[in-house]
Amino acid sequence: MAEKKPFYITTPIYYPSAKLHIGHAYCTTIADAIARFKRLAGYDVFFLTGSDEHGLKIQQKAEEAGVKPIEYTDKIVASFQNLWKRLNISNDDFIRTTQERHVKVVQEIFRRIYAKGDIYKGKYTGLYCTPCESYWTEHQLDENGCCPDCHRPVQPVSEEAYFFKMSKYQDRVLQYIEEHPDFIQPVSRRNEMINFIKQGLDDLCISRTSFNWGIPVPTDEKHVIYVWFDALTNYLTPIGFLDDPEKFQKYWPADLHLVGKEIVRFHSIIWPCILMALDLPLPKKVYGHGWLIVDGDKMSKSKGNVVDPNLLIDEFGPDAIRYFLLREINLGQDGNFSRDALIQRINSDLANDLGNLLHRTLNMTLKFQDGVVIAPQGESDVDRSLKADAAETVTFFAENMEKMELSRTIKKVWAFIARANKYIDETAPWALAKDPAKKQELANVMYNLLESLRLISVMVTPFMPVTGERIWKQLGLTQPFAEVQLTDIETWGGTPAGIHVGQPEQLFPRIEVEKEEQSAQQPKAPKQGKKEKAEKPAKKEAAAPGQITFEDFNKIQLRVVKVLEAELVPKTDKLMKLTVDLGGEKRQIVSGIAQHYKPEELIGKNVVMVINLKPAKLRGVVSQGMLLAASSGEDLKVLSVDMPVGSEVH
Ligand code: ME8
């Protein structure tokens, strides 16, 4: 047998500074769909994901939690691994940058590049963004003098540090990018990177002495290696860079680094410079995908719009979430996540189109042929047209998945599902079943439907692995599902005659929107938790008209917050934009108090805020809460209290 072609695909390694949200799940799901497709297409796939555990931010979080950094990361990393398991992510390894195998690699790389003269000791003075773990120069800051990535304030720092001579590789990296049009994708990101390099690359600071949660510089232990140098090299560790030359030879260079758009720069500029210093070939492709936006807004803890993938899996199952993310969003662009759109897709595409096709086909096979698949003989025009569509869909699938056109591929497969549903109406098997002379014609129709579903079950698998296998089993196919390859669906007729189909099982229950709306009135967590769903809700005493129950009142979360910044919203005379501190978390509120206060009168005040109000946009500015105020006639005063920031108000 010919040796399988290797395919090495990676996701970024995630920071265990907080729980993962649906945006992280999006990135990993894309990589998983590609990895699964490549396996199907006969590649020897190595799919890597992991965790990026060092750095000041993690050290600070651990200190806040009163535990050692490794205890802190152990716990969060376990939650990552659990999430990937629940989402059926098929990674072949999980790298933790705290693992001994990785520490050895990073230190060896440091040694090699130092020995070559491309790492030197100097003095670092610059600006550091703690949340992003990034150093910036003055001219890179945004218009407010903040971090150009996260737009939060940066701190000036000055210390002895090791530097990597990126400047030495600037011309070579630029030349490489220009000569390899496929290296950075999509093209828009490639142009951004070219412009960035043309502005000149500074040498990169790769060590710190002001914290110690990191990999020590091998020859100078008071320094720890700066996180990006440690993080990027993760891609070399599990494929045997130090300990398995044969494996390394096989998988390096990586075929695809899939990353979010904001870290393309690290992967397509810094990482190539490090690899050039190591005399290693560069990865074949860096693909920068867009962000997942929630109901039109970027997800962030401070906006309170973070969507927890675990709760969604509890509620809708992993495949529906995967389907939605991959179907709804074009890879290179930002895309919107909305619960309503998710429910709509589940009902129309999964329960209706796919679920009905399977259900009707199996039911009719059971009813008209005792569940036995009968070999087809001859074909009608409509049969021929269905088969032509099937062949075209399989070709489209193979070609477009290679091009990472995931959403387009899904749409094409669903067009074929619609085609197969239409074929049922066109051929009307129930009418054929009434006429004994049409027995073979009926058998042909049933065969064509079952065979269409066989192809569909394989084509949906990269996106929905559980569903693909469930369809396969219900069809009664005997070939082990795990062994199925793309070649098995490239020719029509793989369903063997004589097998028995199984009983239809519902793939996706319809979500009743009315019920949804009712349950949306309930507090969020119980609605999403499975256990709570199974339990009967306790009977509640209804409130009289005009009254609210204690439970209603209890839903409102009131907190003492400090006003940090205040400014008028341009082109309005009533609205003021405030930045408030909730006690470790900042939020932005838009409040209609501009006719009653000057901005400077509010700054520094401790006021009362509703913190769990659904974010809204006022004149295009996002407001993530509401201030309480008392008014009488023209007079209005915000409720201000002499209590520490973060105090709860009952
Ligand atoms: O950047 N939509 O880690 P990270 C889509 N440790 N993708 C999103 C997203 C969203 N809303 N939010 C985050 C790091 N991501 C480094 C990587 S790699 C050597 C080191 C994506 O946990 C984000 O774009 O902050 C990034 O690709 C990934 O999650 C990891 O983010």
PDB file of all heavy atoms in Angstrom, residues 575-589:
ATOM      1  N   LEU A 575     -26.882  62.181  26.363  1.00  0.00           N
ATOM      2  CA  LEU A 575     -26.172  60.947  26.699  1.00  0.00           C
ATOM      3  C   LEU A 575     -24.728  61.166  27.127  1.00  0.00           C
ATOM      4  O   LEU A 575     -24.007  61.972  26.544  1.00  0.00           O
ATOM      5  CB  LEU A 575     -26.188  59.992  25.497  1.00  0.00           C
ATOM      6  CG  LEU A 575     -27.564  59.525  25.028  1.00  0.00           C
ATOM      7  CD1 LEU A 575     -27.433  58.552  23.868  1.00  0.00           C
ATOM      8  CD2 LEU A 575     -28.349  58.881  26.170  1.00  0.00           C
ATOM      9  N   MET A 576     -24.373  60.419  28.149  1.00  0.00           N
ATOM     10  CA  MET A 576     -22.993  60.463  28.615  1.00  0.00           C
ATOM     11  C   MET A 576     -22.453  59.039  28.615  1.00  0.00           C
ATOM     12  O   MET A 576     -23.151  58.106  29.007  1.00  0.00           O
ATOM     13  CB  MET A 576     -22.965  61.034  30.030  1.00  0.00           C
ATOM     14  CG  MET A 576     -21.585  61.221  30.460  1.00  0.00           C
ATOM     15  SD  MET A 576     -21.172  62.621  31.477  1.00  0.00           S
ATOM     16  CE  MET A 576     -22.477  63.443  32.094  1.00  0.00           C
ATOM     17  N   LYS A 577     -21.196  58.897  28.146  1.00  0.00           N
ATOM     18  CA  LYS A 577     -20.561  57.563  28.136  1.00  0.00           C
ATOM     19  C   LYS A 577     -19.649  57.471  29.346  1.00  0.00           C
ATOM     20  O   LYS A 577     -18.800  58.335  29.551  1.00  0.00           O
ATOM     21  CB  LYS A 577     -19.751  57.389  26.845  1.00  0.00           C
ATOM     22  CG  LYS A 577     -19.163  56.019  26.707  1.00  0.00           C
ATOM     23  CD  LYS A 577     -18.536  55.833  25.333  1.00  0.00           C
ATOM     24  CE  LYS A 577     -17.037  56.045  25.445  1.00  0.00           C
ATOM     25  NZ  LYS A 577     -16.342  55.878  24.186  1.00  0.00           N
ATOM     26  N   LEU A 578     -19.878  56.438  30.165  1.00  0.00           N
ATOM     27  CA  LEU A 578     -19.088  56.291  31.382  1.00  0.00           C
ATOM     28  C   LEU A 578     -18.317  54.985  31.353  1.00  0.00           C
ATOM     29  O   LEU A 578     -18.832  53.968  30.875  1.00  0.00           O
ATOM     30  CB  LEU A 578     -20.024  56.246  32.606  1.00  0.00           C
ATOM     31  CG  LEU A 578     -21.036  57.381  32.749  1.00  0.00           C
ATOM     32  CD1 LEU A 578     -22.084  57.018  33.776  1.00  0.00           C
ATOM     33  CD2 LEU A 578     -20.316  58.646  33.169  1.00  0.00           C
ATOM     34  N   THR A 579     -17.112  55.018  31.878  1.00  0.00           N
ATOM     35  CA  THR A 579     -16.399  53.756  32.117  1.00  0.00           C
ATOM     36  C   THR A 579     -16.388  53.570  33.622  1.00  0.00           C
ATOM     37  O   THR A 579     -16.002  54.476  34.367  1.00  0.00           O
ATOM     38  CB  THR A 579     -14.950  53.828  31.597  1.00  0.00           C
ATOM     39  OG1 THR A 579     -15.009  54.237  30.245  1.00  0.00           O
ATOM     40  CG2 THR A 579     -14.271  52.473  31.696  1.00  0.00           C
ATOM     41  N   VAL A 580     -16.870  52.395  34.071  1.00  0.00           N
ATOM     42  CA  VAL A 580     -16.964  52.180  35.522  1.00  0.00           C
ATOM     43  C   VAL A 580     -16.170  50.943  35.913  1.00  0.00           C
ATOM     44  O   VAL A 580     -15.961  50.033  35.106  1.00  0.00           O
ATOM     45  CB  VAL A 580     -18.440  52.022  35.970  1.00  0.00           C
ATOM     46  CG1 VAL A 580     -19.236  53.273  35.701  1.00  0.00           C
ATOM     47  CG2 VAL A 580     -19.089  50.807  35.326  1.00  0.00           C
ATOM     48  N   ASP A 581     -15.762  50.944  37.180  1.00  0.00           N
ATOM     49  CA  ASP A 581     -15.027  49.798  37.718  1.00  0.00           C
ATOM     50  C   ASP A 581     -15.974  49.014  38.627  1.00  0.00           C
ATOM     51  O   ASP A 581     -16.541  49.556  39.566  1.00  0.00           O
ATOM     52  CB  ASP A 581     -13.835  50.351  38.522  1.00  0.00           C
ATOM     53  CG  ASP A 581     -13.064  49.242  39.199  1.00  0.00           C
ATOM     54  OD1 ASP A 581     -13.302  48.065  38.870  1.00  0.00           O
ATOM     55  OD2 ASP A 581     -12.209  49.553  40.058  1.00  0.00           O
ATOM     56  N   LEU A 582     -16.148  47.713  38.304  1.00  0.00           N
ATOM     57  CA  LEU A 582     -17.050  46.878  39.102  1.00  0.00           C
ATOM     58  C   LEU A 582     -16.315  46.185  40.241  1.00  0.00           C
ATOM     59  O   LEU A 582     -16.884  45.381  40.960  1.00  0.00           O
ATOM     60  CB  LEU A 582     -17.657  45.775  38.219  1.00  0.00           C
ATOM     61  CG  LEU A 582     -19.009  46.023  37.585  1.00  0.00           C
ATOM     62  CD1 LEU A 582     -18.898  47.085  36.524  1.00  0.00           C
ATOM     63  CD2 LEU A 582     -19.526  44.749  36.962  1.00  0.00           C
ATOM     64  N   GLY A 583     -15.016  46.446  40.321  1.00  0.00           N
ATOM     65  CA  GLY A 583     -14.185  45.722  41.288  1.00  0.00           C
ATOM     66  C   GLY A 583     -13.439  44.671  40.494  1.00  0.00           C
ATOM     67  O   GLY A 583     -13.821  43.511  40.536  1.00  0.00           O
ATOM     68  N   GLY A 584     -12.421  45.098  39.759  1.00  0.00           N
ATOM     69  CA  GLY A 584     -11.638  44.148  38.961  1.00  0.00           C
ATOM     70  C   GLY A 584     -12.151  43.985  37.544  1.00  0.00           C
ATOM     71  O   GLY A 584     -11.555  43.309  36.747  1.00  0.00           O
ATOM     72  N   GLU A 585     -13.260  44.591  37.205  1.00  0.00           N
ATOM     73  CA  GLU A 585     -13.788  44.459  35.852  1.00  0.00           C
ATOM     74  C   GLU A 585     -14.295  45.832  35.411  1.00  0.00           C
ATOM     75  O   GLU A 585     -14.962  46.512  36.187  1.00  0.00           O
ATOM     76  CB  GLU A 585     -14.954  43.459  35.888  1.00  0.00           C
ATOM     77  CG  GLU A 585     -15.506  43.154  34.532  1.00  0.00           C
ATOM     78  CD  GLU A 585     -16.791  42.329  34.612  1.00  0.00           C
ATOM     79  OE1 GLU A 585     -16.971  41.566  35.587  1.00  0.00           O
ATOM     80  OE2 GLU A 585     -17.617  42.501  33.706  1.00  0.00           O
ATOM     81  N   LYS A 586     -13.941  46.199  34.167  1.00  0.00           N
ATOM     82  CA  LYS A 586     -14.386  47.511  33.679  1.00  0.00           C
ATOM     83  C   LYS A 586     -15.580  47.347  32.756  1.00  0.00           C
ATOM     84  O   LYS A 586     -15.638  46.379  32.002  1.00  0.00           O
ATOM     85  CB  LYS A 586     -13.261  48.160  32.888  1.00  0.00           C
ATOM     86  CG  LYS A 586     -12.288  48.911  33.724  1.00  0.00           C
ATOM     87  CD  LYS A 586     -11.426  49.729  32.793  1.00  0.00           C
ATOM     88  CE  LYS A 586     -10.147  50.128  33.470  1.00  0.00           C
ATOM     89  NZ  LYS A 586      -9.197  50.679  32.527  1.00  0.00           N
ATOM     90  N   ARG A 587     -16.481  48.297  32.786  1.00  0.00           N
ATOM     91  CA  ARG A 587     -17.601  48.267  31.837  1.00  0.00           C
ATOM     92  C   ARG A 587     -17.884  49.664  31.309  1.00  0.00           C
ATOM     93  O   ARG A 587     -17.544  50.657  31.947  1.00  0.00           O
ATOM     94  CB  ARG A 587     -18.875  47.785  32.546  1.00  0.00           C
ATOM     95  CG  ARG A 587     -18.799  46.341  32.855  1.00  0.00           C
ATOM     96  CD  ARG A 587     -20.025  45.654  32.385  1.00  0.00           C
ATOM     97  NE  ARG A 587     -20.073  44.365  33.042  1.00  0.00           N
ATOM     98  CZ  ARG A 587     -21.186  43.812  33.475  1.00  0.00           C
ATOM     99  NH1 ARG A 587     -22.336  44.426  33.333  1.00  0.00           N
ATOM    100  NH2 ARG A 587     -21.151  42.631  34.029  1.00  0.00           N
ATOM    101  N   GLN A 588     -18.581  49.673  30.208  1.00  0.00           N
ATOM    102  CA  GLN A 588     -18.977  50.953  29.611  1.00  0.00           C
ATOM    103  C   GLN A 588     -20.497  51.086  29.716  1.00  0.00           C
ATOM    104  O   GLN A 588     -21.219  50.141  29.407  1.00  0.00           O
ATOM    105  CB  GLN A 588     -18.538  50.922  28.162  1.00  0.00           C
ATOM    106  CG  GLN A 588     -18.997  52.095  27.364  1.00  0.00           C
ATOM    107  CD  GLN A 588     -18.421  52.015  25.956  1.00  0.00           C
ATOM    108  OE1 GLN A 588     -17.228  51.994  25.753  1.00  0.00           O
ATOM    109  NE2 GLN A 588     -19.307  51.956  24.986  1.00  0.00           N
ATOM    110  N   ILE A 589     -20.967  52.252  30.170  1.00  0.00           N
ATOM    111  CA  ILE A 589     -22.414  52.475  30.225  1.00  0.00           C
ATOM    112  C   ILE A 589     -22.729  53.779  29.507  1.00  0.00           C
ATOM    113  O   ILE A 589     -21.955  54.734  29.586  1.00  0.00           O
ATOM    114  CB  ILE A 589     -22.939  52.693  31.663  1.00  0.00           C
ATOM    115  CG1 ILE A 589     -22.227  51.832  32.684  1.00  0.00           C
ATOM    116  CG2 ILE A 589     -24.427  52.494  31.743  1.00  0.00           C
ATOM    117  CD1 ILE A 589     -22.722  52.144  34.080  1.00  0.00           C
TER     118      ILE A 589
END
